[in-house]
Amino acid sequence: MGDMSNSDFYAKNQRNEGNHEAGFGCSVMELRSLMELRGTEAVVKLQEDYGAVEGLCKRLKTSPTEGLAGVQTDLDKRKELFGKNLIPPKKPKTFLQLVWEALQDVTLIILEIAALISLGLSFYHPPGQTACGAAAGGVEDEGEADAGWIEGAAILLSVVCVVLVTAFNDWSKEKQFRGLQSRIEQEQKFQVVRGSQVIQLPVADIVVGDIAQIKYGDLLPADGVLIQGNDLKIDESSLTGESDHVKKSADKDPMLLSGTHVMEGSGRMVVTAVGVNSQTGIIFTLLGAGVEEEEKKEKKVKKPDGAAAMEMQPLKSAEGGEADEKERKKVSAPKKEKSVLQGKLTKLAVQIGKAGLLMSAITVIILVLYFAINNFVLEKRPWMTECTPIYIQYFVKFFIIGVTVLVVAVPEGLPLAVTISLAYSVKKMMKDNNLVRHLDACETMGNATAICSDKTGTLTTNRMTAVQCYVGDVHYKEIPDPGVIPPKSLDLLINAISINSAYTTKILPPDKEGGLPKQVGNKTECGLLGLVLDLKRDYQPIRNQIPEEKLYKVYTFNSVRKSMSTVIKLPEGSFRMYSKGASEIVLKKCSHILNEVGEPRVFRPRDKDEMVKKVIEPMACDGLRTICVAYRDFASDPEPKWDDENNILTDLTAICVVGIEDPVRPEVPDAIQKCQCAGITVRMVTGDNINTARAIAIKCGIIHPGEDFLCIDGKEFNRRIRNEKGEVEQERIDKVWPKLRVLARSSPTDKHTLVKGIIDSTMADQRQVVAVTGDGTNDGPALKKADVGFAMGIAGTDVAKEASDIILTDDNFSSIVKAVMWGRNVYDSISKFLQFQLTVNVVAVIVAFTGACITQDSPLKAVQMLWVNLIMDTFASLALATEPPTEALLRRKPYGRNKPLISSTMTKNILGHAVYQLILIFTLLFAGEKIFDIDSGRNAPLHSPPSEHYTIIFNTFVMMQLFNEINARKIHGERNVFDGIFRNPIFCSIVFGTFAIQIVIVQFGGKPFSCQPLSLEKWLWCVFLGLGELVWGQVIATIPNSHLRFLRRAGQLTHKDELPEEDVNEENEEIDHAERELRRGQILWFRGLNRIQTQIEVVNTFKSGTSFQGAGALRRQSSTTSQNQDVTNVSSPSHVSLSNALSSPTSTTAATAPPTTGRESELCQSACLLSLLQGCHPVLIKLFFLNLNY
C-alpha cells in the first residue's frame, strides 16, 4: 500500500465512483462534494438530498446509536469502496540515491579526481627515462613501474568503502525514522461505537459509516457529519488559517473535517470520508502527498504537526497557501534555535576544518617548492617536455598527500557520531517509556536545568478515589453508609453525578480477578462515579433513562469555567441544571445549601468562609482535590436564555463537597531527589487548589517544610509579574521564578508565561533549559515554547502530543529522569568520541605535515590515512556513541550552554596522548631503522616497493589508536578505563574487529596498503608500544588540571555567539533589517547623548560650578541605560520623550532620582538634557543634533 503512488491511489478511488450498485446509497464523489459545503448550505443539502443525518446513516448502513456491526467482510468492503484511512507516504530513498548523495562530499570528490589523474599518469612511460634524473630514480631499477596504478586504485577503493559506509548509515537512519513515524501513527487511537460498544481503534482502521465519539483535545482522524454535540468548538486553523474557534451543532454547522482540533465540548459523528478522500487527503493529493514532510524529516527539523497518519504536515487551504506557508514558518520559529550540542559542534567542526585546510595547503606548497628548488635550482636541471608527465605525477602525489591531510583533519565522523548516538538512545529510550518525536530533544534534555511538571497523572497515579465528603451539614472523614445521608440529598447527588459527567466516562470491572476496577475517561469523574458505587447505587440505569441526546444543554468543562453543567428537561416541563467543579469556584455561585434533612437553606458569605476553613482547607491539606456538586431549578415559562452563561450559572444550591484522593506515585519522591542532585529544579504547575498542591509537593519532596520557597496561585503570580497596565515584565518574573516551586490554580496561559519567563531570563550566567510536561489541549503553547515538551501518552490529548518533543508512554515522572540520563549520555558519548578523534587528528596531521616537509613523503600513505580515518570516524563513533548510561550521570550538574565542549580534562588527555604518540612516531621515523636494524624507508623514490620501516610506523600508529580508544571511554579523569567495558558488546567487537583487520592489512595488504609483512617480534613491539598508551593515560590522570588554563575555550559558545545570527530565537525572528538599523541607530543616539553630556558638564561647570553633580549622575545613569537597552524600547523613539519633557516643568528634578523603568529613565534623561541645553551655547545645541543625526 505504502509504495503505491498517490496518483494511482487517487485514480483507484475515482474508479470506484459508481458505488450505488454496491448496496450503499451514496458514492465516494457524492460524499466528497457534501463535505465541501459549510454551515446552513450543508444543513439544507443534508435535509433535501439525504433526509438529514439519520437518512445519511441509513444510506451508509449504520446506526447513529449502535454504530456498525463490526463484521469483517462489511469493513473490508467499505475499505475497498470508500478507501482506507491513510495517506500513502512518499517512497523512501533507495540505497543508490543515498550512495549518490554520499559521493557529493567535496573532500571525496577531490580525492577521486586526484586518484584518477594518478591512475592515468601511472600508465605513461616517457621515452628518455634517464634524462629526468633523480625525479624518476629507482622506478625501473625496482621493476615496479607496472605497479604504479595500485595507489590510485587503492584510493578509489577506499573512497568506495567510505561512501558505502556513509550510505548504509543514512539508510539505517532513514529506516529508523520511518519506524518512529509508524510507531507514532499507531499510537493514535480513536473512540468509535461498534455493535453498541465503545472501543478504541487505531486511526487507520476507521471506515466510512463508523460512528466516532469526539471529545475535548481530539484531533479528528476523518471527515464526518455531527449527529449530536455538546458545546462543541473546533479549531479549523490547520485547514482554513482562521484562528477563531468554530462552533459546531447538528442544526447549524454539522460538518467536521479531518486534521482539525476539538477545543471544547464533545459529541458523536458519522464518518463520511477517509484517507485521500477526506478534505485533508484531497489537499495532500494536490500537494503531492507529503513531499515537504519527507524533506523535513530528513533535515530533522521540528515539525509543527506530525503525530498521526493524517497530520504529516500543516495543511494548506486551496486559497490560502501563501498565508499558511508564513503561518507554518511562524509556528516552527521557536524551534529554530539550535540545540546546545549542535551549536557547539558546528563551531568546533568549522574551527577544525579551517585548521586542516590551512595545514594541507601548507603541506602541498612546501612539497612542491622543495621538489622544484631541489630539481631545477640546486641541481640546475632543465624542464624537459618528455619528463612533464613524471613531474606531474610527483605533483599529483604531493596533492594526494595534501588532500589526505585534509581528509584526516576534517572531522566528518562528528555528524555520524551524533546521529548514531541519538538513534541508539532513541531506540533504547523507547524501552524506558520515552517515545522521542524529535531527535535533538533527547540531547537537549541532558542540559535541562528546570522541569515544570503537571501534578495529576505525572506526579500522582491519576487514579481518583473519593475518600471524604461533606453532605447534610456533616463532614464525613470516610465515605458514609447511604442510610445516614438524607434520601432527598442522596437522590440529587446520584443524579447530579450520573448525568453531569461525560457519558464516555465509565467504571468497568477489573481485568484481573481481585484487581482494581478499570477507570475509563476523565479520572476526576471516575472518582465521582466511584462514589456513586460506594453509596450502593448504579449510574448506568439513570444514563439509560436520560440518554446523551436527551440532554437539553451542556456547558462543558474548560480552563476558564473550571466547572461543568448539564441541563435536563424534567417530565413536568421545567428545567434542572446540575453543576460540578472546583469547590471554591462553585461555592461562590451557591446561594443555598441542602441541610440535614435535604431541604435547601440560605448559604450566606460567612457560611462560605466557615466552610472553606472547616471543610475545604482541611481536605486540601490532606492532599485531596475538592469538588462541589450543586444544582438549580428553572421554570419552563419563560424559558431561560441559555447563552447568557453568567445569569444561568449563579444562584445554585450546593448538594455536597467531595474530597478526592489521587495518591503520589511511589517512585516519584526518589526521582525528584535524583533531579535535585543532578542540579535540576522541579516546579509543580497545577490547576488544583493551593493547599492540595502544597500537600502533594511536600509528599513528593519538591518542597521541604521550613525552606524559603514560593507556593503561589495563578492570581498572585499574575499580580506579581504584571505592571499597572497588565503587561508581563521580565524583571518582575525574574523576582518570582528562582524561588517558585508550586504554582496552583494556574491557567495554561500562566504556564506558558512562566516557561517563557524562565527561558528568556538573563539573571543567571547560563540560559535556563526548561522541560515541560503537559496533557491538555491548552498546554500546546507551553509545550512548544519549552526546550523539551513532554506529552502524556495515556492521559494526553492529541493536540498536546502533537506539540511535544517526547511522549511519556506511561505518564510517569520517573521516565523524565531516565530521559535526562540518556540526554547526558549522548553529550558524554560525543565528548568521548571527540577526545579520541582529536587526538588522532592532531597526531596524523602533524606526522603527515612534518614528515612531508622533512622527508618529502608522508610516513602514512594516502590509503593508510583513509583506513585510519575509517577507524577513527566510523568505527569509533559506533563504539563510543553506544555506551549505555549509568546512574553516575545524575550525580553532576548540567553542563549548560556556555561550558566548552572540550573540558580541561579532555584537553589534557588530547595533548598528553598526542605528545606520547608524536614522540614515538618521530623516534621510529628518524631512528627506527637503527633500532630494528632494517633498511630506511625515508626518501624512497616514486613507485618504490613498501618498506618494513614505514610499515612499523603505520602499525604502531594504529595500535596506539586502538588502545587510546579504551582511554577515551572516560572523560572526567577516572582512573579505571575498563569500568563497564563488557556492558558494551559493540565496543568490544569493534576493538577486536579492527585489530583483526589490521593484521590482515599488514600481512597481506602489500602494495595497495604500502605494507611489508612483519615478523612476530616486530608485531609484539608494535603492540607493546600501543599498550604504553594505557600506562601513559594513568600518568596523564595524575597531572592536576590547574596547570592547564590554556586551551579551555575550544568549542565554547560564548554569550556573544550563543546563537548564530540566523538562528536567533522566536522574538528576534520577527526583527527585520529596518528594526536592526533602528536598534543600531538607538545605540548611536545613546553614544551621542553620552558625548554631548560630557560637553555639557564642562560648559556647566564653567558657567555655574553647581550642576556638575546632577549632570554626572545623569551621565552615569545614561551610560548604564545605554548598555541595558532592550529591543522593546525601539518602539518608543526618544524624540517623543523629548517633546513630552519640554512640557514638563518639574523635569529638572528627575536627574537625581533613580528611574524605575527603561522608559522613565529615557524621559528623565531627555528632560534633564533639554533643561541643561536651554542654558547652553547655540553651537553646542547644533553639535548635539549633529550627533543625533550621526
Side-chain angles (χ1 to χ4, degrees):
M1 179 73 234
D3 56 6
M4 188 192 289
S5 79
N6 299 298
S7 49
D8 298 348
F9 192 88
Y10 195 60
K12 183 172 174 232
N13 280 309
Q14 294 266 324
R15 286 198 294 275
N16 289 331
E17 255 187 77
N19 286 339
H20 292 288
E21 68 277 11
F24 293 104
C26 38
S27 70
V28 171
M29 292 318 285
E30 281 171 13
L31 289 172
R32 271 177 64 164
S33 58
L34 172 67
M35 291 318 295
E36 280 161 14
L37 302 173
R38 301 279 177 278
T40 45
E41 203 183 347
V43 178
V44 171
K45 173 93 172 163
L46 265 173
Q47 198 65 47
E48 288 176 359
D49 291 13
Y50 297 92
V53 185
E54 291 72 24
L56 179 64
C57 290
K58 267 192 196 125
R59 288 208 197 180
L60 290 172
K61 295 189 174 171
T62 183
S63 154
T65 48
E66 292 169 18
L68 296 175
V71 182
Q72 196 54 49
T73 49
D74 176 47
L75 297 177
D76 292 343
K77 188 172 163 193
R78 286 172 190 270
K79 279 184 187 171
E80 195 184 325
L81 295 172
F82 297 108
K84 291 184 182 175
N85 193 23
L86 54 90
I87 293 167
K90 186 185 153 205
K91 281 184 189 171
K93 285 189 176 168
T94 61
F95 188 71
L96 285 174
Q97 282 172 307
L98 292 169
V99 166
W100 177 244
E101 275 180 17
L103 278 168
Q104 311 298 311
D105 186 27
V106 184
T107 41
L108 286 181
I109 292 171
I110 296 172
L111 264 185
E112 288 156 24
I113 295 168
L116 288 170
I117 296 172
S118 165
L119 203 58
L121 290 171
S122 64
F123 294 116
Y124 174 80
H125 304 296
Q129 281 290 342
T130 46
C132 300
V139 174
E140 281 305 307
D141 320 340
E142 303 291 351
E144 285 283 346
D146 302 338
W149 61 274
I150 291 180
E151 187 172 32
I155 291 176
L156 283 179
L157 195 69
S158 314
V159 167
V160 168
C161 272
V162 172
V163 165
L164 287 176
V165 168
T166 314
F168 178 74
N169 273 311
D170 285 346
W171 177 77
S172 56
K173 184 170 77 181
E174 175 128 343
K175 197 169 148 215
Q176 256 176 332
F177 270 129
R178 287 190 171 269
L180 179 64
Q181 189 69 12
S182 64
R183 169 84 194 259
I184 290 171
E185 283 162 16
Q186 286 156 17
E187 282 286 310
Q188 203 206 359
K189 291 193 161 66
F190 212 80
Q191 281 195 335
V192 295
V193 181
R194 280 196 185 165
S196 307
Q197 291 295 314
V198 178
I199 55 168
Q200 291 261 350
L201 267 190
V203 164
D205 292 349
I206 292 174
V207 294
V208 170
D210 259 325
I211 303 297
Q213 290 203 333
I214 53 177
K215 60 183 187 308
Y216 155 86
D218 281 344
L219 178 102
L220 297 185
D223 290 357
V225 178
L226 188 65
I227 298 172
Q228 173 266 326
N230 303 321
D231 205 10
L232 197 61
K233 286 184 187 159
I234 306 280
D235 173 11
E236 294 187 347
S237 57
S238 59
L239 276 175
T240 60
E242 292 294 323
S243 56
D244 292 342
H245 298 169
V246 184
K247 269 192 172 176
K248 297 283 179 183
S249 61
D251 52 352
K252 291 199 179 98
D253 183 3
M255 297 315 202
L256 301 172
L257 306 173
S258 60
T260 59
H261 295 123
V262 182
M263 300 313 277
E264 250 182 68
S266 61
R268 277 201 325 269
M269 72 168 187
V270 56
V271 176
T272 54
V274 293
V276 290
N277 296 308
S278 65
Q279 293 301 300
T280 309
I282 294 166
I283 291 169
F284 264 109
T285 316
L286 295 173
L287 286 174
V291 175
E292 292 176 23
E293 178 263 337
E294 281 304 317
E295 286 167 9
K296 276 192 200 157
K297 208 191 292 178
E298 281 142 28
K299 290 179 192 162
K300 297 192 300 198
V301 168
K302 171 146 191 175
K303 299 179 302 187
D305 291 334
M310 305 304 304
E311 31 169 354
M312 293 184 183
Q313 68 190 52
L315 301 160
K316 294 186 190 174
S317 59
E319 319 84 65
E322 287 299 303
D324 271 42
E325 196 69 33
K326 283 179 195 157
E327 264 307 305
R328 187 167 73 236
K329 278 182 187 159
K330 229 187 243 176
V331 171
S332 56
K335 289 292 168 188
K336 264 199 87 175
E337 189 174 335
K338 276 188 184 170
S339 75
V340 183
L341 189 62
Q342 276 175 324
K344 290 180 180 179
L345 282 178
T346 311
K347 190 174 176 203
L348 188 71
V350 168
Q351 288 170 347
I352 297 172
K354 282 179 185 166
L357 196 62
L358 189 72
M359 290 293 266
S360 63
I362 294 173
T363 311
V364 175
I365 293 167
I366 288 178
L367 284 171
V368 171
L369 283 177
Y370 193 102
F371 176 79
I373 291 169
N374 198 29
N375 270 312
F376 306 125
V377 179
L378 298 179
E379 307 220 354
K380 298 193 170 69
R381 278 203 197 89
W383 182 289
M384 296 168 90
T385 330
E386 62 270 25
C387 290
T388 304
I390 284 203
Y391 298 147
I392 288 177
Q393 224 166 322
Y394 263 100
F395 292 150
V396 169
K397 179 184 162 188
F398 299 152
F399 183 64
I400 288 176
I401 290 170
V403 173
T404 317
V405 170
L406 179 64
V407 169
V408 175
V410 172
E412 68 269 35
L414 266 183
L416 185 66
V418 176
T419 306
I420 290 175
S421 183
L422 287 173
Y424 170 75
S425 302
V426 166
K427 211 171 181 178
K428 294 286 186 188
M429 281 169 81
M430 278 287 197
K431 290 179 185 160
D432 283 342
N433 303 310
N434 284 287
L435 174 61
V436 181
R437 293 184 64 236
H438 302 108
L439 272 186
D440 54 351
C442 167
E443 166 262 312
T444 309
M445 200 52 219
N447 282 297
T449 54
I451 298 173
C452 293
S453 172
D454 273 359
K455 174 179 78 70
T456 310
T458 313
L459 300 172
T460 59
T461 55
N462 202 15
R463 194 185 163 79
M464 307 279 191
T465 331
V467 288
Q468 293 185 21
C469 68
Y470 177 89
V471 61
D473 286 344
V474 185
H475 182 179
Y476 298 98
K477 293 284 184 173
E478 47 196 48
I479 301 303
D481 190 85
V484 301
I485 299 175
K488 233 175 175 181
S489 302
L490 186 62
D491 277 352
L492 276 167
L493 177 62
I494 302 298
N495 278 308
I497 292 174
S498 306
I499 294 166
N500 184 34
S501 54
Y503 278 30
T504 49
T505 304
K506 294 184 176 74
I507 291 183
L508 303 176
D511 287 341
K512 295 181 191 130
E513 217 174 309
L516 291 165
K518 220 162 98 183
Q519 297 188 338
V520 179
N522 182 300
K523 295 297 187 281
T524 309
E525 289 181 350
C526 285
L528 291 169
L529 292 176
L531 173 66
V532 171
L533 299 176
D534 290 343
L535 292 170
K536 315 283 189 292
R537 296 292 189 91
D538 191 0
Y539 58 86
Q540 202 52 54
I542 299 171
R543 286 183 173 182
N544 295 344
Q545 200 183 334
I546 305 175
E548 205 168 354
E549 46 272 19
K550 280 198 182 164
L551 299 178
Y552 198 79
K553 170 84 181 160
V554 180
Y555 300 94
T556 51
F557 180 92
N558 63 27
S559 56
V560 180
R561 285 189 193 124
K562 288 224 187 293
S563 68
M564 172 182 177
S565 307
T566 304
V567 181
I568 56 167
K569 199 165 188 174
L570 297 172
E572 71 272 14
S574 61
F575 299 98
R576 175 168 288 171
M577 178 179 76
Y578 293 114
S579 208
K580 70 165 193 293
S583 53
E584 62 263 47
I585 287 165
V586 176
L587 281 174
K588 271 184 196 156
K589 296 172 181 170
C590 291
S591 58
H592 293 80
I593 188 165
L594 296 184
N595 63 14
E596 65 278 4
V597 291
E599 292 298 330
R601 67 170 169 83
V602 178
F603 192 46
R604 295 182 300 261
R606 71 159 181 268
D607 298 338
K608 288 177 196 173
D609 296 340
E610 195 179 337
M611 188 155 174
V612 167
K613 277 198 191 79
K614 293 198 172 158
V615 179
I616 293 170
E617 280 183 6
M619 280 187 186
C621 292
D622 290 341
L624 305 183
R625 168 178 283 193
T626 55
I627 302 288
C628 178
V629 183
Y631 78 101
R632 179 182 176 185
D633 286 330
F634 295 93
S636 55
D637 191 38
E639 189 175 326
K641 291 192 178 113
W642 299 115
D643 289 338
D644 182 8
E645 226 176 286
N646 292 341
N647 285 329
I648 299 289
L649 298 179
T650 53
D651 203 16
L652 306 176
T653 303
I655 304 170
C656 167
V657 173
V658 184
I660 296 180
E661 183 183 43
D662 183 9
V664 171
R665 286 176 182 265
E667 63 276 21
V668 162
D670 186 39
I672 285 178
Q673 195 183 352
K674 279 181 187 167
C675 280
Q676 288 162 345
C677 293
I680 300 168
T681 309
V682 181
R683 293 181 175 84
M684 182 202 285
V685 183
T686 176
D688 232 330
N689 175 308
I690 179 104
N691 295 321
T692 310
R694 190 186 286 117
I696 298 283
I698 290 171
K699 284 181 188 171
C700 293
I702 291 175
I703 50 175
H704 303 283
E707 284 183 345
D708 177 26
F709 287 129
L710 276 180
C711 294
I712 54 176
D713 60 13
K715 212 184 232 170
E716 173 65 10
F717 175 67
N718 280 300
R719 193 186 64 72
R720 292 190 184 203
I721 63 166
R722 293 177 190 274
N723 59 20
E724 303 74 50
K725 293 177 190 164
E727 295 161 345
V728 177
E729 285 186 0
Q730 188 61 44
E731 308 92 82
R732 289 172 183 248
I733 294 185
D734 285 346
K735 286 178 190 157
V736 175
W737 73 259
K739 284 191 173 180
L740 182 69
R741 290 296 175 273
V742 175
L743 181 57
R745 280 280 177 258
S746 66
S747 68
T749 322
D750 296 339
K751 194 175 194 175
H752 181 259
T753 309
L754 175 66
V755 172
K756 187 175 181 302
I758 297 176
I759 288 176
D760 293 348
S761 174
T762 50
M763 277 177 69
D765 309 339
Q766 305 281 3
R767 147 146 139 54
Q768 295 277 310
V769 176
V770 183
V772 168
T773 68
D775 53 8
T777 305
N778 297 324
D779 289 330
L783 288 169
K784 271 208 164 98
K785 176 67 195 170
D787 295 288
V788 182
F790 285 92
M792 301 298 143
I794 303 166
T797 59
D798 297 336
V799 182
K801 287 178 190 174
E802 194 190 314
S804 69
D805 302 284
I806 298 176
I807 296 172
L808 293 177
T809 51
D810 63 345
D811 288 13
N812 195 336
F813 185 85
S814 59
S815 301
I816 299 176
V817 181
K818 287 177 184 156
V820 172
M821 206 155 81
W822 277 106
R824 292 186 173 190
N825 192 52
V826 168
Y827 202 97
D828 278 9
S829 296
I830 304 303
S831 296
K832 290 170 188 175
F833 171 69
L834 265 177
Q835 176 174 306
F836 174 69
Q837 179 165 28
L838 291 180
T839 311
V840 188
N841 268 0
V842 169
V843 176
V845 170
I846 293 176
V847 167
F849 175 69
T850 41
C853 297
I854 297 168
T855 66
Q856 285 72 67
D857 186 10
S858 169
L860 298 171
K861 300 291 179 286
V863 178
Q864 295 174 348
M865 288 274 221
L866 285 171
W867 164 235
V868 168
N869 204 37
L870 201 68
I871 296 176
M872 69 179 198
D873 273 0
T874 310
F875 295 162
S877 61
L878 252 176
L880 293 167
T882 52
E883 288 270 325
T886 59
E887 286 278 332
L889 288 166
L890 293 174
R891 290 198 282 273
R892 62 165 175 78
K893 300 281 177 272
Y895 282 143
R897 287 183 164 262
N898 305 335
K899 187 178 187 300
L901 193 55
I902 301 167
S903 64
S904 45
T905 311
M906 287 167 64
T907 311
K908 178 179 76 176
N909 289 342
I910 291 167
L911 294 177
H913 289 294
V915 167
Y916 173 82
Q917 294 182 14
L918 287 170
I919 290 172
L920 275 185
I921 286 173
F922 284 134
T923 308
L924 289 175
L925 179 59
F926 297 112
E929 71 272 28
K930 296 186 188 107
I931 298 169
F932 290 107
D933 193 23
I934 46 177
D935 295 332
S936 168
R938 290 193 304 281
N939 302 323
L942 199 64
H943 303 322
S944 58
S947 66
E948 232 181 332
H949 182 194
Y950 273 21
T951 306
I952 289 175
I953 293 176
F954 166 59
N955 202 20
T956 307
F957 181 68
V958 172
M959 288 302 118
M960 289 194 293
Q961 300 326 320
L962 269 186
F963 288 105
N964 193 31
E965 199 165 336
I966 298 171
N967 277 329
R969 291 184 65 247
K970 302 292 171 195
I971 51 171
H972 299 300
E974 298 93 330
R975 288 209 173 268
N976 183 5
V977 289
F978 291 101
D979 180 33
I981 195 165
F982 295 113
R983 282 215 318 262
N984 187 0
I986 301 177
F987 183 88
C988 300
S989 49
I990 281 178
V991 170
F992 289 120
T994 311
F995 190 73
I997 298 172
Q998 180 64 16
I999 294 173
V1000 174
I1001 288 175
V1002 171
Q1003 296 306 105
F1004 311 105
K1007 181 73 185 167
F1009 278 95
S1010 311
C1011 284
Q1012 184 80 14
L1014 298 177
S1015 64
L1016 181 63
E1017 186 196 352
K1018 288 178 184 130
W1019 258 102
L1020 288 172
W1021 271 108
C1022 293
V1023 174
F1024 173 72
L1025 293 173
L1027 269 168
E1029 270 287 5
L1030 294 174
V1031 181
W1032 184 246
Q1034 297 301 313
V1035 174
I1036 294 172
T1038 50
I1039 302 170
N1041 286 4
S1042 48
H1043 299 319
L1044 292 160
R1045 284 286 159 82
F1046 60 96
L1047 277 175
R1048 257 192 178 175
R1049 302 177 65 81
Q1052 181 170 358
L1053 273 179
T1054 54
H1055 279 297
K1056 198 166 56 184
D1057 51 18
E1058 181 165 342
L1059 293 174
E1061 190 104 323
E1062 66 272 13
D1063 291 311
V1064 186
N1065 68 1
E1066 194 176 19
E1067 286 86 311
N1068 304 10
E1069 186 72 20
E1070 308 300 327
I1071 296 174
D1072 58 8
H1073 290 293
E1075 265 182 83
R1076 216 168 270 150
E1077 285 306 310
L1078 232 170
R1079 209 184 319 168
R1080 201 169 293 140
Q1082 201 182 14
I1083 293 166
L1084 289 174
W1085 144 258
F1086 277 104
R1087 232 182 259 157
L1089 262 181
N1090 274 342
R1091 286 201 203 129
I1092 195 74
Q1093 283 159 5
T1094 317
Q1095 293 156 358
I1096 290 165
E1097 274 179 29
V1098 177
V1099 172
N1100 281 355
T1101 314
F1102 280 122
K1103 279 176 76 175
S1104 60
T1106 54
S1107 61
F1108 189 71
Q1109 282 176 323
L1114 164 73
R1115 183 168 161 254
R1116 277 194 300 280
Q1117 172 202 316
S1118 153
S1119 58
T1120 38
T1121 327
S1122 67
Q1123 285 159 18
N1124 298 330
Q1125 277 316 302
D1126 198 292
V1127 188
T1128 47
N1129 289 349
V1130 172
S1131 57
S1132 61
S1134 307
H1135 58 260
V1136 182
S1137 321
L1138 277 175
S1139 56
N1140 295 348
L1142 272 171
S1143 59
S1144 162
T1146 55
S1147 54
T1148 9
T1149 55
T1152 47
T1156 49
T1157 67
R1159 264 180 207 163
E1160 280 175 39
S1161 70
E1162 249 182 76
L1163 269 168
C1164 189
Q1165 290 163 10
S1166 315
C1168 298
L1169 188 58
L1170 273 164
S1171 60
L1172 288 168
L1173 276 173
Q1174 279 163 4
C1176 281
H1177 197 277
V1179 177
L1180 267 180
I1181 295 173
K1182 196 171 181 185
L1183 180 63
F1184 168 72
F1185 285 107
L1186 275 175
N1187 257 322
L1188 267 189
N1189 292 338
Y1190 163 71

